[in-house]
Amino acid sequence: MLKQTALWLIYIFCLASRLASQEPAYLHYDVSDGLPSALVYSIEQDSRGFMWFGTDKGLARFDGVRFKVYDSKNGLPDPEVLEIFEDSRQRLWLSCFSQKPCYIENGKIITSETNPILDKVETKGGVLSFYEDNTGAIWVTGDPAHFYCLTDSSIVSFNSPLGFSDYKSNIKASTTVVEVGEIDQEMYAFANYLICKIRDQYVQDLYRFYQQNVQSQSCMVSFFGERILYVMPNNIKLLECSNGNFVQIDSAATTTVSKSISDNRGRFWLCDGSGENGAICFDHKKDGLRKPKKYLKGHKISHVFQSRDSILWFATLNDGVYALPQNTSINYSVEHTPLFFSNNFTTLSKFNNGQLVAGDDSGNIYVFYDNKWNFLWRNNNTKSNRIRKIIQLNNEEWMAATDRGILFSDSTLIDIYDFIGIGAPKSMFFEEGKIWVGTSHKLLSIDEQRNVKIAFTNRIVAICNDHEKNLWVGGLNGLFSEKDSFTIAWGDKFHHLSKRIIDIKLAGNNTLWVATPGIGLLNVEVKNGKVIDVSVINNELKEPIDNIQSIFVEPNGKVWLSTNKGVYSIDNQLNVFKYDAKNGLISNDVNDILVDHDTLWAATTGGLSKILLSNKNDNSNFPTFINGVRYRLKSKKISIDLIDNSP
């Protein structure tokens, strides 16, 4: 069973685009996923939610998981499908290279060989476009010499130059779609859009504007509300209707454009088939034709399409199809953020002012504000200096544990290697004026005067307070408590706590979350600095979560785990959710995580990822239905497509 609402983010691998300072995580589909070809001309979404792609090797239907391909063996008159359009009767009209239009109805391909009406369509080149008027008649346009109006029982042909007075004399006035003036031979491309898009009260003024300002045979037009975009070989013009008249409000130079569209947000999109600029987006409501954004730069874009769930789909002439969900994840890496020195981010933290900070394995600390990353601390030393932990102090100052020592926000560095045998810092914790530092050899305490004392001799990598303000530490030899001055190894009484501890975080009242590399996540009940009970969470999960590298706990109690296979979340009912490269993570090897309201931040070995956990603007309401059945009869695999075999 397939629910169309969420089907685009499941099962398919994603590929990041190449943008200047950040990269949205695209979903990428090519021949390895089932597309018949990497050359894609057109995209359409039908009334049931299926996505259709026209390629040079057939038509592909996508249900969010699998592609079904239609080619000459299925009845297509030609495998090269240039244009797709669905009418109100759920017929899918196709413009194939063979020039004769055809359509799919109830799973059957109807061609000119089986439909005499289609056989009367005579074309001399060009991509056919389709439009359905309010009577259900289908208009076929795009040929330089003819326009056709098709019904189930008749076809009417119009020659250019086209006068709709001729049209009215042959067809009843009630079937008139638009009122247009004389359209000469040079205007056939523009006339196509007049028939398909424009409301009749605007046509005459548009025609006059065309005569006075455009004067180009290769003009394309896109529409949104009261605004129209003219696209010509060397420039574009933005018009707006005011009191029934169209006025030019902006213009800009442009390069090679193969197609233009508008989306449901009123943005205009231009497709650059040359591969130089990719898909160019103009947010005309905000910036007019200024400050265009370029998507998939370097790809030959043939079509941009927006599905009803606001996902943007990009057809390319050389690399299949890309999909960009409305609230896709954003990735930051060295390749696209010149500020960064490394892609291996090791820790994340949030300051009291709401700013996010991140540290890398080259000793640099970055802060995120104004929707971009900036330096908080830059390591000018050529030696590697991995940032292990960043915390904020009471006086709004911060400090960081690094491989070379403790770094304070006043740019001073306590090089603890001066203390013989102390080792490199691994973790930190701040409480009531005292800083606790776990190192590869010792547990240290640092007072407000920055005096360093040794509290415990052991390798400490995790430090946390419980609800009673008792300090717990974990490391190579298990779990210990400050209550007994770290003298009791609680692994002696609870063997799950005897091995290496990776991280400790406060859970509910009198409980801690403890991560171990072998057993996984533990829920540890504590009281008065003593361990009361230990529960192994993997014993209660359908699939175990292994190789945990850090823990993050939301205020509502939801726990998040970073692993080398992505990010996992576990709610209070032990429901598990996973986020990995399929959801936009730049790398599945995650060192640290942080959840800020509805946003997940992940520090990975491949860069930083920002994933929106909820889509408040998702108003899509697709049906749930079974679209196919697959089963095995003895050694034979049998597949039944229910969509093609039932209306």
Side-chain angles (χ1 to χ4, degrees):
M1 183 171 288
L2 177 66
K3 188 167 183 178
Q4 300 274 21
T5 312
L7 53 81
W8 313 121
L9 294 178
I10 304 174
Y11 304 113
I12 307 299
F13 289 96
C14 67
L15 183 71
S17 73
R18 299 293 186 247
L19 294 183
S21 62
Q22 62 188 37
E23 47 182 333
Y26 292 86
L27 304 178
H28 182 214
Y29 310 89
D30 56 19
V31 292
S32 65
D33 301 303
L35 265 178
S37 172
L39 195 163
V40 183
Y41 293 113
S42 55
I43 308 173
E44 174 70 302
Q45 183 180 32
D46 68 21
S47 55
R48 296 165 297 187
F50 290 106
M51 299 299 301
W52 295 82
F53 304 100
T55 80
D56 66 330
K57 291 182 175 63
L59 177 71
R61 189 191 75 202
F62 183 52
D63 62 10
V65 180
R66 299 177 183 87
F67 288 90
K68 177 179 174 59
V69 177
Y70 302 78
D71 53 22
S72 300
K73 297 177 182 178
N74 303 98
L76 276 182
D78 190 285
E80 198 158 4
V81 179
L82 306 174
E83 194 70 37
I84 313 170
F85 171 79
E86 187 190 38
D87 65 18
S88 61
R89 293 162 57 180
Q90 297 185 356
R91 295 180 299 181
L92 209 65
W93 290 83
L94 308 175
S95 170
C96 297
F97 189 76
S98 65
Q99 305 302 318
K100 296 280 187 180
C102 63
Y103 60 86
I104 300 177
E105 186 174 27
N106 295 334
K108 296 181 179 180
I109 299 177
I110 310 301
T111 68
S112 59
E113 295 183 359
T114 56
N115 186 326
I117 299 295
L118 300 179
D119 190 49
K120 295 180 181 179
V121 176
E122 299 290 341
T123 60
K124 296 181 180 180
V127 180
L128 299 180
S129 296
F130 305 94
Y131 170 76
E132 182 179 14
D133 66 25
N134 54 11
T135 69
I138 301 298
W139 287 81
V140 182
T141 68
D143 181 77
H146 300 89
F147 300 93
Y148 295 91
C149 181
L150 281 64
T151 67
D152 287 343
S153 58
S154 65
I155 178 172
V156 178
S157 173
F158 303 96
N159 297 321
S160 295
L162 175 63
F164 264 72
S165 57
D166 300 330
Y167 165 72
K168 286 183 177 180
S169 65
N170 291 283
I171 307 295
K172 293 181 180 179
S174 61
T175 64
T176 301
V177 186
V178 293
E179 296 281 349
V180 298
E182 294 290 332
I183 301 177
D184 57 35
Q185 181 71 25
E186 296 180 351
M187 279 194 60
Y188 69 84
F190 181 55
N192 174 26
Y193 285 92
L194 285 176
I195 293 174
C196 296
K197 300 289 186 182
I198 294 296
R199 289 179 285 176
D200 49 13
Q201 63 265 35
Y202 295 155
V203 170
Q204 291 290 347
D205 189 64
L206 279 174
Y207 178 56
R208 285 193 296 270
F209 184 92
Y210 175 87
Q211 288 180 311
Q212 297 170 7
N213 299 281
V214 180
Q215 299 176 351
S216 170
Q217 294 185 11
S218 56
C219 142
M220 292 183 291
V221 188
S222 295
F223 306 85
F224 186 85
E226 307 299 307
R227 290 191 170 183
I228 296 178
L229 185 73
Y230 275 97
V231 182
M232 290 157 286
N234 299 313
N235 62 83
I236 53 178
K237 298 177 184 291
L238 181 63
L239 312 181
E240 186 172 61
C241 180
S242 177
N243 299 321
N245 296 316
F246 280 92
V247 179
Q248 179 176 314
I249 61 174
D250 207 352
S251 63
T254 187
T255 56
T256 305
V257 177
S258 58
K259 186 173 289 188
S260 65
I261 70 156
S262 62
D263 63 22
N264 59 18
R265 291 171 53 184
R267 298 175 301 181
F268 288 119
W269 291 83
L270 305 183
C271 304
D272 183 0
S274 70
E276 180 180 355
N277 295 294
I280 308 169
C281 178
F282 296 93
D283 192 345
H284 67 82
K285 288 187 174 182
K286 182 179 180 181
D287 298 313
L289 299 181
R290 298 173 298 278
K291 299 179 181 179
K293 293 182 179 180
K294 296 179 181 180
Y295 293 74
L296 293 171
K297 189 176 180 180
H299 290 76
K300 297 179 180 180
I301 306 297
S302 57
H303 193 184
V304 178
F305 181 88
Q306 188 174 40
S307 53
R308 292 192 296 277
D309 50 5
S310 296
I311 294 178
L312 286 165
W313 296 82
F314 302 87
T316 77
L317 297 176
N318 57 354
D319 199 20
V321 176
Y322 289 82
L324 184 61
Q326 186 177 21
N327 293 301
T328 187
S329 65
I330 301 296
N331 294 323
Y332 304 84
S333 64
V334 169
E335 291 78 8
H336 314 288
T337 310
L339 189 74
F340 289 171
F341 279 81
S342 172
N343 280 337
N344 189 3
F345 282 83
T346 53
T347 185
L348 289 165
S349 184
K350 184 181 177 182
F351 285 172
N352 295 335
N353 60 7
Q355 291 179 344
L356 187 77
V357 291
D360 65 19
D361 68 347
S362 297
N364 301 290
I365 302 176
Y366 309 89
V367 59
F368 189 76
Y369 63 87
D370 291 338
N371 204 35
K372 63 181 180 180
W373 288 99
N374 303 270
F375 271 119
L376 183 64
W377 166 262
R378 180 173 178 177
N379 179 26
N380 294 316
N381 193 305
T382 57
K383 295 181 180 179
S384 173
N385 189 23
R386 184 183 181 94
I387 305 296
R388 298 285 184 173
K389 191 76 173 179
I390 307 168
I391 61 173
Q392 191 169 21
L393 308 179
N394 284 334
N395 57 1
E396 301 300 323
E397 292 183 342
W398 56 267
M399 62 180 294
T402 81
D403 281 346
R404 293 184 57 242
I406 306 300
L407 177 67
F408 285 85
S409 55
D410 59 2
S411 300
T412 61
L413 181 70
I414 296 181
D415 190 348
I416 63 171
Y417 285 114
D418 291 341
F419 298 85
I420 298 176
I422 288 180
K426 301 297 180 183
S427 185
M428 290 191 305
F429 187 80
F430 175 73
E431 60 154 359
E432 299 177 355
K434 182 181 290 187
I435 302 165
W436 294 92
V437 179
T439 78
S440 56
H441 292 82
K442 303 286 193 301
L443 174 67
L444 309 177
S445 65
I446 304 176
D447 61 23
E448 294 179 349
Q449 286 72 43
R450 301 185 184 177
N451 297 311
V452 181
K453 293 182 179 180
I454 299 175
F456 181 37
T457 301
N458 211 314
R459 181 184 177 93
I460 303 298
V461 297
I463 311 172
C464 182
N465 257 351
D466 61 22
H467 277 89
E468 298 173 326
K469 302 301 180 181
N470 180 68
L471 192 75
W472 293 85
V473 299
L476 187 63
N477 298 313
L479 188 69
F480 299 86
S481 168
E482 184 191 12
K483 188 74 173 180
D484 52 48
S485 300
F486 310 108
T487 58
I488 298 176
W490 286 99
D492 294 341
K493 297 184 178 181
F494 299 89
H495 70 279
H496 294 318
L497 300 174
S498 64
K499 304 297 182 182
R500 181 184 172 196
I501 303 297
I502 299 297
D503 199 6
I504 309 170
K505 288 294 188 297
L506 182 65
N509 289 329
N510 300 320
T511 55
L512 299 172
W513 291 114
V514 177
T516 66
I519 307 171
L521 184 65
L522 305 176
N523 188 258
V524 180
E525 183 181 350
V526 297
K527 190 173 183 180
N528 296 324
K530 299 180 179 180
V531 176
I532 306 301
D533 194 19
V534 178
S535 300
V536 180
I537 299 302
N538 274 343
N539 293 341
E540 304 178 55
L541 303 179
K542 293 181 179 179
E543 295 184 8
I545 301 175
D546 300 318
N547 298 316
I548 299 170
Q549 304 190 69
S550 68
I551 305 172
F552 182 87
V553 182
E554 289 189 77
N556 61 9
K558 191 173 185 179
V559 62
W560 293 80
L561 308 173
S562 67
T563 77
N564 62 353
K565 296 181 180 178
V567 177
Y568 294 85
S569 68
I570 306 175
D571 63 17
N572 295 326
Q573 288 74 43
L574 295 182
N575 297 309
V576 178
F577 303 89
K578 184 180 180 182
Y579 301 82
D580 57 17
K582 300 171 187 177
N583 306 100
L585 277 182
I586 196 169
S587 169
N588 284 343
D589 193 359
V590 185
N591 294 315
D592 200 9
I593 46 177
L594 186 147
V595 177
D596 185 16
H597 300 292
D598 59 354
T599 302
L600 167 67
W601 286 92
T604 82
T605 58
L608 291 167
S609 289
K610 176 185 177 183
I611 297 179
L612 189 66
L613 300 173
S614 63
N615 184 356
K616 298 178 181 179
N617 298 319
D618 184 7
N619 297 317
S620 55
N621 185 24
F622 292 96
T624 300
F625 51 86
I626 298 173
N627 61 26
V629 176
R630 291 177 296 145
Y631 63 95
R632 183 187 297 272
L633 183 62
K634 295 182 179 180
S635 61
K636 185 178 181 181
K637 294 181 180 180
I638 300 176
S639 178
I640 301 175
D641 190 318
L642 299 179
I643 300 303
D644 284 348
N645 291 282
S646 61

